[in-house]
Amino acid sequence: MVIATHAPAVFAEDRMYLPVHAGRALASPVAGTYGDHEGHSISERNAHWCELTALYWVWCNRENPSGLGLSHYRRYFRGEAQGPKGTRVLSGIEAAGLLADFDVVLPRRRYYVVETVRSHYAHAHVESDLSVVEQVLEECSPHLLPAWNRVMQRRSLSLYNMFLARPEHAEAYCAWLFEVLEKVESHIDLDGRNAYQARALGFLGERLLNVWIEGHPELRVLRRRVVQVGGEPVLRKAVAMLRRRWG
């Protein structure tokens, strides 16, 4: 399980977890982490790809015989093991048990209520990026366009690019995701965007994870609670969403 980080932190200590400095090519090393800048790497594109540069590095450069997943230095799947700042985080033993019964573990859905996934993205990010994704899917994965449309019309989403998957499904997902995002990146202009909106490939990756799951109904999927180290400003995020929608 990759722990993507860009800053010093107290990481979960279970041997399952691998702290990886996302964007190491652009910054000084973070103590206690592996850099995502060696071997096959997109580390220098971290400003656009966010935590996905860490996932890409592990997918390309390390064997993952028991499965592969992505978490964050501030976000973990809920478990019973003692984690940073008193949190309870998923342990390796618990993860193995989950993957014995399920193919993929995702975060519980966030419900937008007043927004669809499409309208939320349009209000919060650059709406034209969605059209680019649709064009790329039509070109390389037309069988997933119905799944894309269903996800876009919903009012809930699993976020953070977080997942845990059996090895064969992690391999299939990563191969597909990075092919799609590479093509999307080649068709959008990120120059001139502010630092937040420049993170477009990371934002789109969150939506595409849901699309991949939606397009593979044969998968046994468990949605699990995510714990946030230090808490999450849920109310502030909800107010910001409403302001974008009706402000």
Side-chain angles (χ1 to χ4, degrees), residues 15 19 25 36 51 69 90 98 110 121 134 136-137 154 164-165 181 202 219 226 231 245:
R15 292 179 60 187
D36 70 347
E51 61 274 354
L90 192 70
L98 293 179
R110 173 174 291 175
Y121 194 95
E134 290 170 354
V136 169
L137 289 177
R154 288 197 182 127
L164 173 66
L181 288 181
L219 295 176
V226 170
R245 180 65 178 84

Side-chain angles (χ1 to χ4, degrees), residues 26-42:
L26 305 172
S28 299
V30 172
T33 67
Y34 293 85
D36 70 347
H37 62 306
E38 299 178 344
H40 294 288
S41 168
I42 55 172

Side-chain angles (χ1 to χ4, degrees), residues 65-123:
S66 300
L68 178 62
L70 177 65
S71 60
H72 299 248
Y73 72 105
R74 292 185 297 120
R75 297 187 183 101
Y76 297 88
F77 285 113
R78 177 70 163 82
E80 295 305 319
Q82 185 70 28
K85 297 186 179 180
T87 55
R88 294 289 179 179
V89 303
L90 192 70
S91 69
I93 292 175
E94 290 174 301
L98 293 179
L99 292 183
D101 296 325
F102 297 94
D103 298 309
V104 182
V105 180
L106 295 179
R108 288 181 180 176
R109 294 181 177 94
R110 173 174 291 175
Y111 289 87
Y112 294 127
V113 183
V114 298
E115 293 260 49
T116 64
V117 172
R118 177 179 287 278
S119 68
H120 175 267
Y121 194 95
H123 289 121

Side-chain angles (χ1 to χ4, degrees), residues 9-25:
V10 178
F11 305 114
E13 296 182 353
D14 191 286
R15 292 179 60 187
M16 171 179 74
Y17 290 101
L18 186 75
V20 178
H21 182 174
R24 170 65 180 84

